[in-house]
Amino acid sequence: MHRTKVRIVEDALDANHTIAMANRDDFDREDVTVVNLMSAPGAGKTTLLERALDGLAEEGLRVGVLEGDVAGSFDADRLSVLNIPVTQLNTDNGFGGECHLDANMVRSGLAELALDDIDILVIENVGNLVCPAEFKVGEDARVMVYAVTEGEEKPLKYPLMFRSADLVLINKVDLLEHLDFDLEQFLGNLDAVNPGVERILASARTGQGMEEWCSWLQRRKG
Amino acid sequence: MHRTKVRIVEDALDANHTIAMANRDDFDREDVTVVNLMSAPGAGKTTLLERALDGLAEEGLRVGVLEGDVAGSFDADRLSVLNIPVTQLNTDNGFGGECHLDANMVRSGLAELALDDIDILVIENVGNLVCPAEFKVGEDARVMVYAVTEGEEKPLKYPLMFRSADLVLINKVDLLEHLDFDLEQFLGNLDAVNPGVERILASARTGQGMEEWCSWLQRRKG
C-alpha cells in the first residue's frame, strides 16, 4: 500500500508543478507579486495581514487576498471590511477537507480575482506546518508565521516548512515574558534548518515589527 | 485530476479501516486502552502527557506511548527518561513527511511495544488540526489539546477535529489574562460543532486541571 501511495503522490506533484507554472505565467503577465503565507493554526497570519494592509495602502500598493480554509470564511470576512479584493477557497469537499492549498485550488480562485487591479497577492494557506510547504502554487516568496507559544523545537520537527521560508515572522513576542521559551535556542534551531533566513520579531498585538514587515513586502514588489 | 485524487483517497481509507480493526483486535486481546492524542503544533500534547504519567503511575497504571512526528525524536526522548515504553514513528519518508498517523503506521509501531506490559497506550499524533482526525487507528478515545493562544474560531474552521474528540483539554489557560481571548465565545463555538463534549480547563505549566485529566484517563481504563 505504501509504495502505491508514494507513486500517486509523485504524479500529483507533477500535475501541481504544471499548474503552478501556469499560475506563475498569469502573475507575470499582470505584474503581480505573490506571497504564500503559511503557519500552524492560530499563529496570527490573518492579523499580521490586517496590520500590513494599512501600511501598504499608504504606499499606494493594491493588495488582494486568496483565503484558504478547510471550512467557513471567517478570515475572508474579517479582511473584506478593509475594502480589498478577497476570495475564499474552501477545501472541505472530499473527505473532511484538504489540509493545504495546491496550485489547482489557487488557479480555481484566480478566476474570481481581477489580477490587473492587484500589485501584491497574498495567499493565506490552511493552518498547517506540514503539507502546505510541499505544494508550490506559483508564488514569488514564502512567508512563514511562527508563534513563540509553539515551542523552541518546531524547526527541527517540521524542517520542510521552515527550510522553504524566505521570511519567518516570529509572532506573539509580547508573550515572551509569560512563557518558558528560550528565544536563542529557537533561533539556533531555525538557523540549523535554514541558515541565515530573514526573520522579524513581531507582535501583531503591540505593533512590534509591523514596519519591518510592511517594508519587506514593499521590497518584494521592487 | 481532482476526481482521480478523491477516488484514491477513498481506497486508502478503506484499507485504513481494515488495519484499524486489526489494531483494535490486538488491543482488546491484551486489554489495552488506547487514546489518540491530537492537536495543532505546540499546543502542549507532550507536556500534558508528562504531567499525566506521574499521576497514573501512582495509581499503578502502566502507560506506553507511540510518538508520531514528521522528523526527529524530541518528544520520545523527553518521555523516555520517565522509564516507560516509548516508540517513535517518523513520517518523513516519501515527499517531506506525512502530516498524520494512519492505522498502518501505528501497526508498524506496535511490533516494538510489549502490549501485555501496558494498560493505557497513548498515541501522540503529528501536530495538525486537519488530517489526523480523518484516520482511525483503532483507538478507544480521542483527546484533543487546544491552546487558548490559537483563537476562538478554530472549532468552526477545523470542525472535523473538534467534532471527533471525546475530550477537549483547553490548555495554557494561565495565559488568558495576557490574551485578547473570549473563552465563552470559544466554548460556544465548541458546543456548536460538538455539543456538550467533555472539556477540562488546563495549564500544564501551573498544574490546573491535571487531576481531572488523570481521572479522566483512569475512568477510560474502567
Side-chain angles (χ1 to χ4, degrees):
Chain A
M1 189 182 104
H2 190 64
R3 194 151 28 203
T4 308
K5 188 163 185 207
V6 169
R7 184 174 53 73
I8 290 161
V9 164
E10 284 169 357
D11 291 346
L13 280 177
D14 287 346
N16 190 74
H17 178 76
T18 304
I19 302 171
M21 291 300 97
N23 292 345
R24 184 68 259 158
D25 287 345
D26 287 357
F27 300 144
D28 285 342
R29 192 177 308 115
E30 303 291 352
D31 194 23
V32 181
T33 297
V34 180
V35 171
N36 189 351
L37 187 61
M38 304 188 279
S39 79
K45 290 186 298 301
T46 310
T47 310
L48 287 166
L49 189 47
E50 287 175 328
R51 297 291 176 278
L53 288 170
D54 282 342
L56 293 170
E58 278 174 27
E59 301 297 325
L61 288 169
R62 301 164 302 170
V63 180
V65 178
L66 264 185
E67 272 297 334
D69 283 300
V70 176
S73 61
F74 300 93
D75 297 340
D77 295 344
R78 271 171 70 181
L79 295 169
S80 64
V81 302
L82 301 171
N83 205 24
I84 58 162
V86 181
T87 295
Q88 177 74 49
L89 286 169
N90 279 143
T91 68
D92 62 359
N93 37 18
F95 65 111
E98 291 285 348
C99 60
H100 58 273
L101 295 180
D102 64 21
N104 199 38
M105 293 182 218
V106 166
R107 192 152 192 81
S108 74
L110 292 185
E112 309 291 322
L113 281 172
L115 288 181
D116 55 352
D117 288 336
I118 294 174
D119 299 307
I120 299 178
L121 175 65
V122 178
I123 299 172
E124 187 177 341
N125 220 307
V126 178
N128 180 350
L129 284 188
V130 188
C131 301
E134 295 163 6
F135 292 86
K136 291 195 174 165
V137 296
E139 68 270 48
D140 294 272
R142 291 179 162 199
V143 175
M144 205 211 136
V145 180
Y146 165 83
V148 294
T149 47
E150 295 172 29
E152 298 91 349
E153 81 291 5
K154 291 299 177 294
L156 307 177
K157 288 176 78 172
Y158 301 89
L160 186 68
M161 172 65 75
F162 284 87
R163 190 176 296 134
S164 79
D166 299 295
L167 170 67
V168 179
L169 290 168
I170 303 168
N171 197 24
K172 306 195 187 183
V173 295
D174 57 292
L175 293 176
L176 278 175
E177 61 184 304
H178 309 297
L179 301 173
D180 305 315
F181 179 83
D182 185 333
L183 183 61
E184 288 309 308
Q185 192 185 329
F186 168 75
L187 294 173
N189 291 340
L190 178 60
D191 281 323
V193 299
N194 194 346
V197 61
E198 283 192 82
R199 73 222 41 199
I200 297 172
L201 293 180
S203 166
R205 199 174 182 225
T206 67
Q208 182 179 338
M210 292 306 96
E211 211 166 305
E212 278 181 85
W213 164 221
C214 283
S215 300
W216 188 92
L217 284 166
Q218 272 179 260
R219 284 200 306 280
R220 298 304 302 201
K221 189 67 208 166
Chain B
M1 189 183 104
H2 191 66
R3 194 149 32 201
T4 307
K5 190 164 184 208
V6 170
R7 184 175 51 75
I8 290 160
V9 164
E10 285 170 354
D11 292 344
L13 280 178
D14 289 344
N16 190 75
H17 179 76
T18 304
I19 302 170
M21 291 298 98
N23 292 347
R24 184 67 258 160
D25 286 346
D26 287 357
F27 299 145
D28 285 343
R29 192 177 308 115
E30 302 291 350
D31 195 21
V32 181
T33 297
V34 180
V35 171
N36 190 352
L37 187 61
M38 304 188 279
S39 79
K45 291 187 295 303
T46 310
T47 311
L48 287 167
L49 189 47
E50 286 174 330
R51 297 290 176 278
L53 287 170
D54 283 341
L56 294 171
E58 277 174 28
E59 300 297 325
L61 287 170
R62 301 164 303 169
V63 179
V65 177
L66 264 185
E67 271 297 334
D69 283 300
V70 175
S73 60
F74 299 93
D75 297 341
D77 295 345
R78 271 171 71 182
L79 295 169
S80 64
V81 302
L82 300 172
N83 205 24
I84 57 160
V86 180
T87 294
Q88 177 73 49
L89 286 171
N90 278 145
T91 68
D92 60 1
N93 38 18
F95 66 110
E98 292 284 348
C99 60
H100 58 272
L101 295 179
D102 64 21
N104 198 37
M105 294 182 218
V106 166
R107 191 152 191 83
S108 73
L110 292 185
E112 310 290 322
L113 280 172
L115 288 182
D116 54 352
D117 288 336
I118 293 173
D119 298 308
I120 299 178
L121 176 65
V122 178
I123 299 172
E124 187 178 339
N125 220 306
V126 178
N128 181 350
L129 284 188
V130 188
C131 301
E134 295 163 6
F135 292 86
K136 290 196 175 167
V137 296
E139 69 269 48
D140 294 272
R142 291 177 162 200
V143 175
M144 205 210 137
V145 180
Y146 166 83
V148 293
T149 48
E150 295 171 29
E152 297 91 348
E153 81 291 6
K154 292 298 176 295
L156 306 177
K157 287 178 78 173
Y158 301 90
L160 186 67
M161 173 65 76
F162 284 88
R163 191 175 294 134
S164 79
D166 298 296
L167 170 68
V168 179
L169 289 167
I170 302 168
N171 196 22
K172 307 195 188 184
V173 295
D174 57 292
L175 293 176
L176 278 175
E177 61 185 303
H178 309 296
L179 302 172
D180 305 315
F181 179 83
D182 185 332
L183 184 60
E184 288 309 309
Q185 191 185 329
F186 168 75
L187 295 174
N189 290 341
L190 179 60
D191 281 322
V193 298
N194 194 346
V197 60
E198 284 192 80
R199 74 222 39 198
I200 297 173
L201 292 180
S203 166
R205 199 174 182 225
T206 67
Q208 181 179 341
M210 292 306 98
E211 209 165 308
E212 275 180 88
W213 163 222
C214 283
S215 299
W216 188 92
L217 284 166
Q218 271 179 264
R219 283 201 307 279
R220 299 304 301 202
K221 190 65 209 170

PDB file of all heavy atoms in Angstrom, chain B residues 9-10 33 58 70 84 86 89 102 108 110 115 122-123 131-132 135 146 152-153 156 163 176 206 208:
ATOM      1  N   VAL B   9      -8.111   8.434  -2.489  1.00  0.00           N
ATOM      2  CA  VAL B   9      -8.200   8.642  -1.048  1.00  0.00           C
ATOM      3  C   VAL B   9      -9.238   7.711  -0.433  1.00  0.00           C
ATOM      4  O   VAL B   9      -9.042   7.160   0.636  1.00  0.00           O
ATOM      5  CB  VAL B   9      -8.525  10.120  -0.761  1.00  0.00           C
ATOM      6  CG1 VAL B   9      -9.007  10.291   0.650  1.00  0.00           C
ATOM      7  CG2 VAL B   9      -7.287  10.965  -1.002  1.00  0.00           C
ATOM      8  N   GLU B  10     -10.339   7.498  -1.129  1.00  0.00           N
ATOM      9  CA  GLU B  10     -11.363   6.601  -0.584  1.00  0.00           C
ATOM     10  C   GLU B  10     -10.844   5.166  -0.475  1.00  0.00           C
ATOM     11  O   GLU B  10     -11.089   4.480   0.500  1.00  0.00           O
ATOM     12  CB  GLU B  10     -12.633   6.664  -1.440  1.00  0.00           C
ATOM     13  CG  GLU B  10     -13.403   7.960  -1.165  1.00  0.00           C
ATOM     14  CD  GLU B  10     -14.530   8.200  -2.150  1.00  0.00           C
ATOM     15  OE1 GLU B  10     -14.651   7.419  -3.116  1.00  0.00           O
ATOM     16  OE2 GLU B  10     -15.260   9.179  -1.959  1.00  0.00           O
ATOM     17  N   THR B  33      -6.154  -0.021  26.786  1.00  0.00           N
ATOM     18  CA  THR B  33      -6.998   1.123  26.432  1.00  0.00           C
ATOM     19  C   THR B  33      -6.146   2.120  25.658  1.00  0.00           C
ATOM     20  O   THR B  33      -5.040   2.456  26.085  1.00  0.00           O
ATOM     21  CB  THR B  33      -7.558   1.786  27.704  1.00  0.00           C
ATOM     22  OG1 THR B  33      -8.394   0.839  28.365  1.00  0.00           O
ATOM     23  CG2 THR B  33      -8.363   3.035  27.352  1.00  0.00           C
ATOM     24  N   GLU B  58       1.169   6.512  40.032  1.00  0.00           N
ATOM     25  CA  GLU B  58       0.738   6.414  41.438  1.00  0.00           C
ATOM     26  C   GLU B  58      -0.456   5.479  41.593  1.00  0.00           C
ATOM     27  O   GLU B  58      -0.629   4.848  42.632  1.00  0.00           O
ATOM     28  CB  GLU B  58       0.346   7.799  41.968  1.00  0.00           C
ATOM     29  CG  GLU B  58       1.538   8.624  42.437  1.00  0.00           C
ATOM     30  CD  GLU B  58       1.115  10.042  42.827  1.00  0.00           C
ATOM     31  OE1 GLU B  58      -0.038  10.226  43.243  1.00  0.00           O
ATOM     32  OE2 GLU B  58       1.957  10.951  42.677  1.00  0.00           O
ATOM     33  N   VAL B  70       6.890  14.103  12.139  1.00  0.00           N
ATOM     34  CA  VAL B  70       7.437  14.116  10.787  1.00  0.00           C
ATOM     35  C   VAL B  70       8.912  13.715  10.836  1.00  0.00           C
ATOM     36  O   VAL B  70       9.366  12.835  10.119  1.00  0.00           O
ATOM     37  CB  VAL B  70       7.281  15.515  10.149  1.00  0.00           C
ATOM     38  CG1 VAL B  70       7.960  15.546   8.783  1.00  0.00           C
ATOM     39  CG2 VAL B  70       5.811  15.881  10.016  1.00  0.00           C
ATOM     40  N   ILE B  84       9.267   4.637  30.755  1.00  0.00           N
ATOM     41  CA  ILE B  84       8.084   3.955  30.235  1.00  0.00           C
ATOM     42  C   ILE B  84       8.399   3.519  28.807  1.00  0.00           C
ATOM     43  O   ILE B  84       9.308   4.057  28.179  1.00  0.00           O
ATOM     44  CB  ILE B  84       6.836   4.877  30.219  1.00  0.00           C
ATOM     45  CG1 ILE B  84       7.132   6.139  29.384  1.00  0.00           C
ATOM     46  CG2 ILE B  84       6.404   5.256  31.620  1.00  0.00           C
ATOM     47  CD1 ILE B  84       5.895   6.854  28.920  1.00  0.00           C
ATOM     48  N   VAL B  86       8.390   3.684  25.101  1.00  0.00           N
ATOM     49  CA  VAL B  86       8.098   4.718  24.099  1.00  0.00           C
ATOM     50  C   VAL B  86       8.638   4.268  22.751  1.00  0.00           C
ATOM     51  O   VAL B  86       9.795   3.863  22.649  1.00  0.00           O
ATOM     52  CB  VAL B  86       8.756   6.068  24.456  1.00  0.00           C
ATOM     53  CG1 VAL B  86       8.423   7.119  23.399  1.00  0.00           C
ATOM     54  CG2 VAL B  86       8.335   6.543  25.827  1.00  0.00           C
ATOM     55  N   LEU B  89       7.560   6.940  15.843  1.00  0.00           N
ATOM     56  CA  LEU B  89       7.177   6.747  14.435  1.00  0.00           C
ATOM     57  C   LEU B  89       7.500   8.025  13.691  1.00  0.00           C
ATOM     58  O   LEU B  89       6.973   9.079  14.038  1.00  0.00           O
ATOM     59  CB  LEU B  89       5.675   6.496  14.322  1.00  0.00           C
ATOM     60  CG  LEU B  89       5.149   5.138  14.756  1.00  0.00           C
ATOM     61  CD1 LEU B  89       3.618   5.170  14.784  1.00  0.00           C
ATOM     62  CD2 LEU B  89       5.621   4.049  13.805  1.00  0.00           C
ATOM     63  N   ASP B 102      -1.613   7.099  10.326  1.00  0.00           N
ATOM     64  CA  ASP B 102      -2.739   6.261   9.927  1.00  0.00           C
ATOM     65  C   ASP B 102      -2.607   4.898  10.613  1.00  0.00           C
ATOM     66  O   ASP B 102      -1.632   4.639  11.340  1.00  0.00           O
ATOM     67  CB  ASP B 102      -2.857   6.158   8.395  1.00  0.00           C
ATOM     68  CG  ASP B 102      -1.669   5.471   7.757  1.00  0.00           C
ATOM     69  OD1 ASP B 102      -0.934   4.731   8.448  1.00  0.00           O
ATOM     70  OD2 ASP B 102      -1.467   5.665   6.536  1.00  0.00           O
ATOM     71  N   SER B 108       2.770  -0.611  12.417  1.00  0.00           N
ATOM     72  CA  SER B 108       4.212  -0.867  12.299  1.00  0.00           C
ATOM     73  C   SER B 108       4.929  -0.519  13.602  1.00  0.00           C
ATOM     74  O   SER B 108       5.957  -1.121  13.928  1.00  0.00           O
ATOM     75  CB  SER B 108       4.810  -0.061  11.130  1.00  0.00           C
ATOM     76  OG  SER B 108       4.883   1.310  11.454  1.00  0.00           O
ATOM     77  N   LEU B 110       3.528  -0.959  16.605  1.00  0.00           N
ATOM     78  CA  LEU B 110       3.101  -1.890  17.661  1.00  0.00           C
ATOM     79  C   LEU B 110       4.084  -3.038  17.830  1.00  0.00           C
ATOM     80  O   LEU B 110       4.242  -3.578  18.935  1.00  0.00           O
ATOM     81  CB  LEU B 110       1.714  -2.467  17.342  1.00  0.00           C
ATOM     82  CG  LEU B 110       0.558  -1.472  17.398  1.00  0.00           C
ATOM     83  CD1 LEU B 110      -0.757  -2.202  17.178  1.00  0.00           C
ATOM     84  CD2 LEU B 110       0.554  -0.733  18.726  1.00  0.00           C
ATOM     85  N   LEU B 115       2.674  -5.042  24.357  1.00  0.00           N
ATOM     86  CA  LEU B 115       1.333  -4.607  24.770  1.00  0.00           C
ATOM     87  C   LEU B 115       0.898  -5.244  26.092  1.00  0.00           C
ATOM     88  O   LEU B 115       0.124  -4.656  26.840  1.00  0.00           O
ATOM     89  CB  LEU B 115       0.308  -4.934  23.676  1.00  0.00           C
ATOM     90  CG  LEU B 115       0.365  -4.083  22.396  1.00  0.00           C
ATOM     91  CD1 LEU B 115      -0.737  -4.506  21.427  1.00  0.00           C
ATOM     92  CD2 LEU B 115       0.221  -2.591  22.718  1.00  0.00           C
ATOM     93  N   VAL B 122      -0.938   5.634  24.837  1.00  0.00           N
ATOM     94  CA  VAL B 122      -1.247   6.955  24.290  1.00  0.00           C
ATOM     95  C   VAL B 122      -0.508   7.112  22.962  1.00  0.00           C
ATOM     96  O   VAL B 122       0.709   6.938  22.886  1.00  0.00           O
ATOM     97  CB  VAL B 122      -0.836   8.081  25.259  1.00  0.00           C
ATOM     98  CG1 VAL B 122      -1.127   9.447  24.633  1.00  0.00           C
ATOM     99  CG2 VAL B 122      -1.575   7.936  26.583  1.00  0.00           C
ATOM    100  N   ILE B 123      -1.259   7.396  21.910  1.00  0.00           N
ATOM    101  CA  ILE B 123      -0.679   7.631  20.587  1.00  0.00           C
ATOM    102  C   ILE B 123      -0.643   9.138  20.378  1.00  0.00           C
ATOM    103  O   ILE B 123      -1.690   9.775  20.221  1.00  0.00           O
ATOM    104  CB  ILE B 123      -1.513   6.941  19.497  1.00  0.00           C
ATOM    105  CG1 ILE B 123      -1.539   5.422  19.745  1.00  0.00           C
ATOM    106  CG2 ILE B 123      -0.957   7.268  18.111  1.00  0.00           C
ATOM    107  CD1 ILE B 123      -2.490   4.662  18.846  1.00  0.00           C
ATOM    108  N   CYS B 131      -5.792  16.480   9.066  1.00  0.00           N
ATOM    109  CA  CYS B 131      -5.800  15.077   8.653  1.00  0.00           C
ATOM    110  C   CYS B 131      -5.790  14.032   9.779  1.00  0.00           C
ATOM    111  O   CYS B 131      -6.368  12.955   9.601  1.00  0.00           O
ATOM    112  CB  CYS B 131      -4.670  14.815   7.676  1.00  0.00           C
ATOM    113  SG  CYS B 131      -4.802  15.870   6.213  1.00  0.00           S
ATOM    114  N   PRO B 132      -5.134  14.264  10.906  1.00  0.00           N
ATOM    115  CA  PRO B 132      -5.173  13.216  11.939  1.00  0.00           C
ATOM    116  C   PRO B 132      -6.595  12.789  12.289  1.00  0.00           C
ATOM    117  O   PRO B 132      -6.839  11.617  12.580  1.00  0.00           O
ATOM    118  CB  PRO B 132      -4.461  13.870  13.140  1.00  0.00           C
ATOM    119  CG  PRO B 132      -3.487  14.807  12.518  1.00  0.00           C
ATOM    120  CD  PRO B 132      -4.238  15.379  11.316  1.00  0.00           C
ATOM    121  N   PHE B 135      -8.252   9.745  10.185  1.00  0.00           N
ATOM    122  CA  PHE B 135      -7.741   8.375  10.187  1.00  0.00           C
ATOM    123  C   PHE B 135      -7.910   7.720  11.557  1.00  0.00           C
ATOM    124  O   PHE B 135      -7.203   8.055  12.504  1.00  0.00           O
ATOM    125  CB  PHE B 135      -6.257   8.361   9.792  1.00  0.00           C
ATOM    126  CG  PHE B 135      -6.028   8.747   8.362  1.00  0.00           C
ATOM    127  CD1 PHE B 135      -5.913  10.079   7.996  1.00  0.00           C
ATOM    128  CD2 PHE B 135      -5.993   7.776   7.369  1.00  0.00           C
ATOM    129  CE1 PHE B 135      -5.727  10.441   6.666  1.00  0.00           C
ATOM    130  CE2 PHE B 135      -5.810   8.122   6.033  1.00  0.00           C
ATOM    131  CZ  PHE B 135      -5.684   9.462   5.683  1.00  0.00           C
ATOM    132  N   TYR B 146      -6.195  21.792  22.863  1.00  0.00           N
ATOM    133  CA  TYR B 146      -6.386  23.075  22.197  1.00  0.00           C
ATOM    134  C   TYR B 146      -5.768  24.133  23.097  1.00  0.00           C
ATOM    135  O   TYR B 146      -6.024  24.156  24.298  1.00  0.00           O
ATOM    136  CB  TYR B 146      -7.891  23.335  22.012  1.00  0.00           C
ATOM    137  CG  TYR B 146      -8.185  24.753  21.659  1.00  0.00           C
ATOM    138  CD1 TYR B 146      -8.094  25.181  20.346  1.00  0.00           C
ATOM    139  CD2 TYR B 146      -8.495  25.676  22.649  1.00  0.00           C
ATOM    140  CE1 TYR B 146      -8.321  26.508  20.027  1.00  0.00           C
ATOM    141  CE2 TYR B 146      -8.724  26.999  22.342  1.00  0.00           C
ATOM    142  CZ  TYR B 146      -8.627  27.407  21.030  1.00  0.00           C
ATOM    143  OH  TYR B 146      -8.841  28.723  20.719  1.00  0.00           O
ATOM    144  N   GLU B 152     -10.479  31.993  19.090  1.00  0.00           N
ATOM    145  CA  GLU B 152     -11.805  31.464  19.444  1.00  0.00           C
ATOM    146  C   GLU B 152     -12.478  30.678  18.329  1.00  0.00           C
ATOM    147  O   GLU B 152     -13.340  29.838  18.580  1.00  0.00           O
ATOM    148  CB  GLU B 152     -12.751  32.619  19.813  1.00  0.00           C
ATOM    149  CG  GLU B 152     -12.368  33.441  21.010  1.00  0.00           C
ATOM    150  CD  GLU B 152     -11.502  34.634  20.627  1.00  0.00           C
ATOM    151  OE1 GLU B 152     -11.023  34.696  19.470  1.00  0.00           O
ATOM    152  OE2 GLU B 152     -11.301  35.509  21.476  1.00  0.00           O
ATOM    153  N   GLU B 153     -12.126  30.977  17.067  1.00  0.00           N
ATOM    154  CA  GLU B 153     -12.933  30.472  15.946  1.00  0.00           C
ATOM    155  C   GLU B 153     -12.494  29.086  15.456  1.00  0.00           C
ATOM    156  O   GLU B 153     -13.105  28.533  14.536  1.00  0.00           O
ATOM    157  CB  GLU B 153     -12.885  31.474  14.794  1.00  0.00           C
ATOM    158  CG  GLU B 153     -11.645  31.420  13.908  1.00  0.00           C
ATOM    159  CD  GLU B 153     -10.351  31.877  14.569  1.00  0.00           C
ATOM    160  OE1 GLU B 153     -10.347  32.154  15.776  1.00  0.00           O
ATOM    161  OE2 GLU B 153      -9.317  31.916  13.870  1.00  0.00           O
ATOM    162  N   LEU B 156     -14.845  26.141  14.423  1.00  0.00           N
ATOM    163  CA  LEU B 156     -15.637  26.339  13.205  1.00  0.00           C
ATOM    164  C   LEU B 156     -14.769  26.189  11.953  1.00  0.00           C
ATOM    165  O   LEU B 156     -15.269  25.853  10.883  1.00  0.00           O
ATOM    166  CB  LEU B 156     -16.303  27.717  13.234  1.00  0.00           C
ATOM    167  CG  LEU B 156     -17.138  28.009  14.490  1.00  0.00           C
ATOM    168  CD1 LEU B 156     -17.702  29.427  14.449  1.00  0.00           C
ATOM    169  CD2 LEU B 156     -18.274  26.997  14.649  1.00  0.00           C
ATOM    170  N   ARG B 163     -15.102  17.912  16.281  1.00  0.00           N
ATOM    171  CA  ARG B 163     -16.296  17.062  16.354  1.00  0.00           C
ATOM    172  C   ARG B 163     -15.939  15.637  16.772  1.00  0.00           C
ATOM    173  O   ARG B 163     -16.721  14.959  17.416  1.00  0.00           O
ATOM    174  CB  ARG B 163     -16.995  17.058  14.980  1.00  0.00           C
ATOM    175  CG  ARG B 163     -18.376  16.448  14.979  1.00  0.00           C
ATOM    176  CD  ARG B 163     -19.013  16.608  13.611  1.00  0.00           C
ATOM    177  NE  ARG B 163     -19.270  17.998  13.282  1.00  0.00           N
ATOM    178  CZ  ARG B 163     -18.991  18.583  12.114  1.00  0.00           C
ATOM    179  NH1 ARG B 163     -18.444  17.859  11.135  1.00  0.00           N
ATOM    180  NH2 ARG B 163     -19.250  19.846  11.916  1.00  0.00           N
ATOM    181  N   LEU B 176      -4.435  33.315  29.820  1.00  0.00           N
ATOM    182  CA  LEU B 176      -5.679  34.022  29.475  1.00  0.00           C
ATOM    183  C   LEU B 176      -5.624  35.511  29.801  1.00  0.00           C
ATOM    184  O   LEU B 176      -6.077  36.347  29.010  1.00  0.00           O
ATOM    185  CB  LEU B 176      -6.883  33.380  30.182  1.00  0.00           C
ATOM    186  CG  LEU B 176      -7.468  32.132  29.509  1.00  0.00           C
ATOM    187  CD1 LEU B 176      -8.574  31.534  30.370  1.00  0.00           C
ATOM    188  CD2 LEU B 176      -7.996  32.465  28.107  1.00  0.00           C
ATOM    189  N   THR B 206       0.962  25.458  35.257  1.00  0.00           N
ATOM    190  CA  THR B 206       0.606  25.699  36.666  1.00  0.00           C
ATOM    191  C   THR B 206       0.038  24.446  37.334  1.00  0.00           C
ATOM    192  O   THR B 206      -0.084  24.402  38.553  1.00  0.00           O
ATOM    193  CB  THR B 206      -0.463  26.802  36.785  1.00  0.00           C
ATOM    194  OG1 THR B 206      -1.691  26.327  36.213  1.00  0.00           O
ATOM    195  CG2 THR B 206      -0.022  28.070  36.072  1.00  0.00           C
ATOM    196  N   GLN B 208      -3.048  23.366  36.758  1.00  0.00           N
ATOM    197  CA  GLN B 208      -4.519  23.416  36.748  1.00  0.00           C
ATOM    198  C   GLN B 208      -5.093  22.331  35.843  1.00  0.00           C
ATOM    199  O   GLN B 208      -4.645  22.172  34.698  1.00  0.00           O
ATOM    200  CB  GLN B 208      -4.995  24.793  36.270  1.00  0.00           C
ATOM    201  CG  GLN B 208      -6.520  24.931  36.264  1.00  0.00           C
ATOM    202  CD  GLN B 208      -6.976  26.322  35.812  1.00  0.00           C
ATOM    203  OE1 GLN B 208      -6.219  27.285  35.835  1.00  0.00           O
ATOM    204  NE2 GLN B 208      -8.238  26.402  35.397  1.00  0.00           N
TER     205      GLN B 208
END
